[in-house]
């Protein structure tokens, strides 16, 4: 803490100032905060598990240790990887050279997906139908671009121009590494950038994409094909192993009509270059050192990261991201205690009780809507730690000597696994995050809140800490995930997870008005020079924080400590609660990364998450004696209260 600062002027520095000064961003990172500290601890724990597994060369064939150890060992064998250069993708690049026409282009774009090599032109996945949640349906989304957001192509300020140049340099470099002469490689970079820019122009903006109705466009496959005469979706889906489906969901139909036009207005030779680029960029992190270094140089321009993440850390993350439920079994056996799960279950029950009290007490909502809100709250499914049924990855071949092929095999296995969900009941046991992940999520179509084992550690959660610390940390995280069910997007889904209105018109209008006021509050926060938080993009997360912290405080006040005034280390229980919240969000961030996150991340920066919710809570003002004239002071009648 920095006690020289008044909490009412700058609560973030008051709670975190000394830590922020003492903890600059390490060279291998792009930001450094509580999340990163815990992620760092977890990745080191994972490294130990992986090293142990890789060392067991006599582990039983097919065992979890053997498969995890072999995958990691193959990734760490940089000598073999370097010897191969780009040979693992030579055949792909050659095959693409043989494409003759638009059909050939489309065949290749679908084929690359099925073998786990790339996902060019558009997004394709199998997921729940938001208006019929027991059904898994094929879904199409906009895509085709490489830079993190369409704005990078469309805005030409100094920051973006620099990134565009770094991107073109990256494209040029990867092509030259495959033996293409520099002049041709530079021409390729222009071709690719210009084609991707056209796709970016056809894309919807992120804020627009937050509207679940706008992105829900259901078509009969035959009817959708009529809107894209160059793309026959029945045959394209068959090439992506999907047959017998008569319906498709499309998030952005306009994108596909534009893409349809691009197919014939763009020379086949340019599409060949673009498809080769998709193979190259997808493979680069897993090829020889010169490819990996080129990939890092490009990421450096985007994020400002000083040195490359060490190989062991990249391979640990890759193992977690690829076969996370094999690795997860070894992780939870070592790092997840049954008492942590029991304490979490208890806290979740308390938070749901607190939320119920708050919904019942809302002065702006009618009894009719409250009844529906409570029905939704009581239908929530909490999941803690890890899945009941582990994925077996049956049929996935992993060989200790063929790293690149392992990555490809996993991509292919993942694609087949996804397609196999069609025609089956929705799997309600699955986790969308792996056990070591330091994060949590809410799924609107499942109406579930999920907390992987990885986040259930200090500073979020400590079974031995006082209630103020746990409720201000993991309690607020639980409340945040519950609040996602009632944010500007999640509130449009009912208790069954169906996209269906359950609000009276009057209540919905009041909710929208309150949400707009919260968006304006965050719009006013400055991140870098003239860059502000985007209140509309971050609205869901900000409602999550505001509702979550209020509910966590309500639940905390039900505990013995919450009812007492007894100080610990000189701080009252209420002060400790808000300090715990503030210290979860402490972070130093590189300016390049901060600029990127403002465009791409639906979360507000940590310093504004720290203050954004408390300045709307009367209890915070009381706890720290915040008065008119203090910089963070907001008049009681102007404080945002939603849930």
């Amino acid at each position: 803490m920095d006690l020289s600062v008044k909490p009412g002027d700058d609560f973030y520095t008051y709670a975190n100032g000394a830590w922020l000064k003492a903890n600059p961003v390490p060279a291998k990172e792009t930001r450094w905060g509580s999340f990163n500290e815990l992620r760092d601890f977890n990745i080191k724990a994972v490294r130990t598990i992986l090293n142990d597994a890789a060392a067991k060369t006599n582990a039983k064939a097919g065992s979890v240790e053997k498969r995890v150890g072999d995958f990691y060992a193959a990734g760490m064998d940089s000598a073999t990887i370097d010897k191969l250069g780009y040979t693992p993708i030579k055949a792909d690049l050659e095959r693409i050279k043989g494409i003759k026409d638009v059909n050939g282009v489309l065949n290749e774009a679908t084929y690359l997906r099925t073998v786990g090599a790339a996902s060019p032109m558009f997004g394709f996945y199998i997921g729940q139908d938001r208006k019929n949640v027991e059904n898994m349906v094929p879904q199409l989304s906009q895509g085709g671009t490489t830079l993190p957001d369409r704005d990078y192509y469309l805005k030409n300020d100094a920051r973006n121009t620099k990134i565009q140049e770094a991107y073109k340099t990256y494209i040029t470099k990867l092509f030259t590494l495959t033996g293409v002469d520099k002049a041709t490689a530079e021409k390729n970079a222009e071709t690719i950038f210009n084609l991707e820019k056209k796709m970016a122009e056809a894309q919807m903006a992120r804020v627009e994409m937050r509207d679940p109705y706008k992105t829900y466009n259901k078509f009969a496959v035959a009817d959708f094909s009529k809107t894209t005469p160059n793309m026959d979706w029945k045959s394209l889906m068959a090439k992506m192993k999907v047959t017998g489906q008569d319906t498709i969901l499309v998030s952005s139909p306009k994108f596909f009509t534009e893409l349809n036009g691009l197919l014939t207005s763009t020379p086949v030779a340019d599409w060949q270059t673009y498809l080769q680029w998709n193979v190259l960029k997808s493979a680069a992190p897993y090829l020889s050192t010169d490819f990996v270094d080129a990939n890092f140089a490009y990421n450096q321009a985007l994020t400002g990261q000083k040195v490359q993440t060490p190989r062991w850390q990249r391979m640990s993350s890759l193992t977690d991201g690829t076969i996370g439920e094999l690795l997860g079994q070894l992780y939870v056996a070592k790092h997840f205690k049954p008492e942590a799960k029991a304490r979490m279950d208890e806290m979740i029950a308390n938070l749901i009780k607190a939320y119920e009290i708050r919904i019942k007490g809302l002065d702006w909502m009618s009894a009719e809507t409250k009844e529906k809100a409570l029905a939704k709250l009581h239908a929530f499914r909490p999941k803690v730690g890890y899945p009941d049924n582990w994925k077996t990855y049956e049929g996935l071949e992993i060989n200790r000597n063929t790293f690149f092929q392992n990555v490809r095999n996993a991509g292919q296995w993942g694609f087949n696994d996804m397609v196999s969900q069609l025609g089956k009941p929705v799997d309600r046991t699955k986790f969308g995050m792996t056990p070591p992940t330091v994060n949590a999520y809410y799924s609107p179509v499942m109406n579930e809140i999920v907390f992987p084992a990885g986040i259930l550690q200090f500073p979020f959660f400590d079974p031995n800490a006082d209630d103020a610390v746990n409720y201000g940390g993991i309690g607020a995280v639980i409340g945040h995930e519950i609040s996602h069910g009632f944010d500007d997007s999640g509130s449009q889904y009912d208790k069954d997870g169906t996209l269906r209105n359950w609000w009276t018109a009057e209540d919905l209008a009041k909710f929208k008005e309150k949400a707009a006021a919260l968006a304006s509050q965050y719009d006013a926060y400055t991140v870098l020079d003239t860059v502000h938080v985007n209140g509309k993009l971050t609205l869901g997360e900000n409602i999550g924080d505001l509702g979550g912290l209020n509910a966590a405080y309500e639940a905390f006040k039900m505990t013995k400590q919450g009812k007492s005034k007894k100080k610990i280390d000189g701080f009252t229980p209420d002060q400790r609660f808000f300090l715990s919240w503030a210290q979860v969000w402490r972070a130093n961030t590189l300016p390049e990364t901060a600029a990127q996150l403002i465009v791409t991340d639906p979360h507000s920066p940590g310093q504004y998450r720290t203050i954004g919710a408390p300045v709307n809570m009367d209890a915070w003002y009381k706890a720290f004696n915040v008065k008119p004239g203090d910089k963070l002071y907001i008049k009681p009648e102007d404080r945002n209260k939603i849930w």
Side-chain angles (χ1 to χ4, degrees):
M1 296 174 69
D2 178 353
L3 299 178
S4 70
V5 175
K6 246 174 108 175
D9 282 343
D10 182 353
F11 188 54
Y12 182 62
T13 304
Y14 169 76
N16 299 309
W19 186 93
L20 291 165
K21 275 200 189 89
N23 289 277
V25 180
K28 72 182 178 75
E29 303 287 341
T30 58
R31 50 179 165 170
W32 192 250
S34 296
F35 273 83
N36 309 85
E37 285 182 308
L38 182 45
R39 281 175 185 146
D40 207 54
F41 168 81
N42 270 355
I43 204 77
K44 283 173 181 155
V46 163
R47 180 193 195 178
T48 304
I49 290 167
L50 290 169
N51 280 332
D52 291 351
K56 286 185 189 161
T57 44
N58 59 350
K60 193 166 155 262
S63 66
V64 171
E65 278 92 347
K66 169 88 174 138
R67 301 174 81 196
V68 166
D70 283 356
F71 187 90
Y72 180 68
M76 290 305 289
D77 183 1
S78 52
T80 301
I81 295 164
D82 279 346
K83 262 190 219 128
L84 288 169
Y86 79 99
T87 47
I89 56 166
K90 230 175 191 166
D92 294 320
L93 299 176
E94 282 304 317
R95 188 183 61 253
I96 291 168
K97 278 183 193 165
I99 292 172
K100 301 275 188 292
D101 53 22
V102 169
N103 270 342
V105 171
L106 289 168
N107 288 346
E108 185 64 30
T110 51
Y111 171 75
L112 288 171
R113 281 181 163 71
T114 61
V115 294
S119 300
M121 295 165 87
F122 55 84
F124 173 75
Y125 60 102
I126 309 298
Q128 282 166 275
D129 180 339
R130 277 173 275 172
K131 291 190 179 179
N132 186 1
V133 290
E134 295 307 326
N135 259 9
M136 301 296 283
V137 289
Q139 312 202 21
L140 289 168
S141 59
Q142 61 188 31
T145 48
T146 305
L147 288 166
D149 188 82
R150 66 174 207 155
D151 282 7
Y152 285 93
Y153 297 89
L154 309 182
K155 291 186 177 164
N156 290 319
D157 54 36
R159 198 178 272 127
N160 275 2
T161 310
K162 193 177 146 210
I163 287 167
Q164 289 171 11
E165 286 314 309
Y167 177 44
K168 289 175 189 173
T169 303
Y170 178 43
I171 300 174
T172 305
K173 179 72 177 163
L174 289 199
F175 273 102
T176 55
L177 288 176
T178 66
V180 173
D181 66 85
K182 193 158 190 279
T184 309
E186 282 172 352
K187 189 168 152 277
N188 287 353
E190 288 302 327
T191 299
I192 289 157
F193 183 83
N194 292 332
L195 182 50
E196 289 189 354
K197 185 180 179 181
K198 284 175 186 158
M199 292 193 221
E201 284 163 353
Q203 290 177 2
M204 282 163 86
R206 274 175 200 259
V207 171
E208 225 183 330
M209 295 289 289
R210 285 188 49 73
D211 183 335
Y213 283 96
K214 225 172 226 175
T215 55
Y216 185 92
N217 302 284
K218 198 179 218 176
F219 290 90
V221 174
D223 290 344
F224 184 56
S225 296
K226 283 177 192 152
T227 70
T228 59
N230 297 316
M231 305 166 93
D232 171 29
W233 289 100
K234 189 180 176 189
S235 79
L236 288 175
M237 287 207 302
K239 291 190 174 102
M240 294 188 287
K241 307 191 176 188
V242 173
T243 51
Q245 297 286 317
D246 55 4
T247 309
I248 195 160
L249 279 173
V250 185
S251 66
S252 172
K254 174 185 169 263
F255 175 81
F256 287 90
T257 55
E258 296 286 328
L259 179 62
N260 175 70
L262 281 177
L263 273 168
T264 45
S265 66
T266 306
V268 170
D270 290 1
W271 282 116
Q272 286 174 316
T273 305
Y274 168 79
L275 289 167
Q276 286 186 322
W277 168 239
N278 273 266
V279 168
L280 274 168
K281 73 174 180 187
S282 303
Y286 318 119
L287 295 173
S288 50
T289 304
D290 40 8
F291 282 89
V292 175
D293 290 348
N295 178 252
F296 174 66
Y298 160 64
N299 283 326
Q300 207 170 17
L302 280 173
T303 63
Q305 187 176 334
K306 303 287 183 287
V307 303
Q308 191 157 188
T309 310
R311 185 166 195 95
W312 71 262
Q313 191 172 337
R314 282 181 282 131
M315 292 307 124
S316 299
S317 299
L318 182 68
T319 309
D320 181 37
T322 309
I323 46 172
E325 291 197 17
L326 294 180
L327 172 62
Q329 293 174 54
L330 305 177
Y331 174 83
V332 297
K334 225 170 177 175
H335 295 282
F336 190 53
K337 312 268 184 300
E339 52 270 33
K341 187 172 185 336
R343 183 82 192 273
M344 265 303 276
D345 290 341
E346 179 195 326
M347 285 184 76
I348 290 169
N350 291 352
L351 258 295
I352 286 179
K353 195 154 84 189
Y355 227 95
E356 182 181 328
I357 293 166
R358 293 192 65 80
I359 289 172
K360 284 178 174 167
L362 292 175
D363 58 5
W364 58 270
M365 188 184 270
S366 69
E368 189 186 333
T369 307
K370 277 182 186 175
E371 195 184 318
K372 301 266 175 48
L374 291 166
K376 177 166 185 175
L377 178 71
H378 293 138
F380 269 53
R381 289 184 189 86
K383 292 179 185 173
V384 176
Y386 54 90
D388 295 335
N389 307 317
W390 294 102
K391 252 188 207 178
T392 61
Y393 304 89
E394 196 183 334
L396 170 58
E397 271 188 50
I398 297 169
N399 183 314
R400 204 179 181 93
N401 305 312
T402 56
F403 170 59
F404 189 83
Q405 197 54 49
N406 291 343
V407 174
R408 274 282 172 92
N409 289 351
Q412 186 165 4
W413 187 91
F415 185 86
N416 291 337
D417 182 54
M418 176 181 78
V419 169
S420 76
Q421 294 170 43
L422 286 168
K424 287 184 191 160
V426 170
D427 178 3
R428 296 194 175 272
T429 66
K430 71 169 192 255
F431 267 53
M433 289 175 178
T434 65
T437 305
V438 182
N439 212 332
Y441 69 93
Y442 167 73
S443 164
V445 283
M446 293 280 211
N447 197 28
E448 65 182 12
I449 45 175
V450 186
F451 306 93
I455 198 173
L456 304 179
Q457 299 171 73
F458 184 79
F460 298 92
F461 175 70
D462 179 353
N464 306 313
D466 55 305
D467 278 329
V469 170
N470 276 330
Y471 277 91
I474 200 72
V477 173
I478 297 166
H480 172 100
E481 298 310 336
I482 293 172
S483 297
H484 273 314
F486 302 99
D487 71 17
D488 60 315
S489 177
S491 62
Q492 301 185 62
Y493 297 80
D494 69 7
K495 68 180 175 56
D496 305 319
T498 305
L499 185 59
R500 180 165 47 206
N501 179 46
W502 46 271
W503 296 71
T504 67
E506 197 181 329
D507 289 340
L508 189 56
K510 286 182 192 163
F511 174 68
K512 284 184 173 168
E513 193 182 317
K514 287 176 172 293
L518 191 65
S520 300
Q521 176 192 326
Y522 283 83
D523 276 336
Y525 294 142
T526 311
V527 185
L528 285 172
D529 43 73
T530 58
V531 180
H532 280 248
V533 175
N534 181 339
K536 285 197 177 82
L537 178 64
T538 55
L539 183 56
E541 297 298 335
N542 300 335
I543 293 174
D545 283 349
L546 181 59
L549 194 60
N550 270 294
Y553 182 74
E554 183 98 34
F556 171 56
K557 297 311 274 183
M558 297 177 197
T559 67
K560 191 176 161 196
Q561 186 191 13
K563 292 186 179 105
S564 87
K565 296 270 188 289
K566 191 180 166 204
K567 290 184 176 180
I568 301 178
D569 298 334
F571 294 99
T572 67
D574 275 23
Q575 287 174 331
R576 288 174 68 80
F577 170 86
F578 285 110
L579 286 169
S580 174
W581 164 258
Q583 290 176 350
V584 158
W585 300 117
R586 63 186 181 208
N588 284 309
T589 307
L590 299 177
E592 296 90 338
T593 295
Q596 182 184 334
L597 292 173
I598 281 300
V599 178
T600 60
D601 189 358
H603 301 85
S604 297
Q607 75 215 71
Y608 296 123
R609 294 189 77 169
T610 300
I611 61 168
V615 297
N616 291 305
M617 293 172 67
D618 303 345
W620 176 76
Y621 288 82
K622 205 170 151 195
F624 293 98
N625 195 24
V626 179
K627 294 271 190 283
D630 291 346
K631 287 178 189 162
L632 294 175
Y633 183 84
I634 296 173
K635 286 190 288 198
E637 64 271 24
D638 293 336
R639 291 171 198 165
N640 285 309
K641 291 178 170 56
I642 303 182
W643 293 106

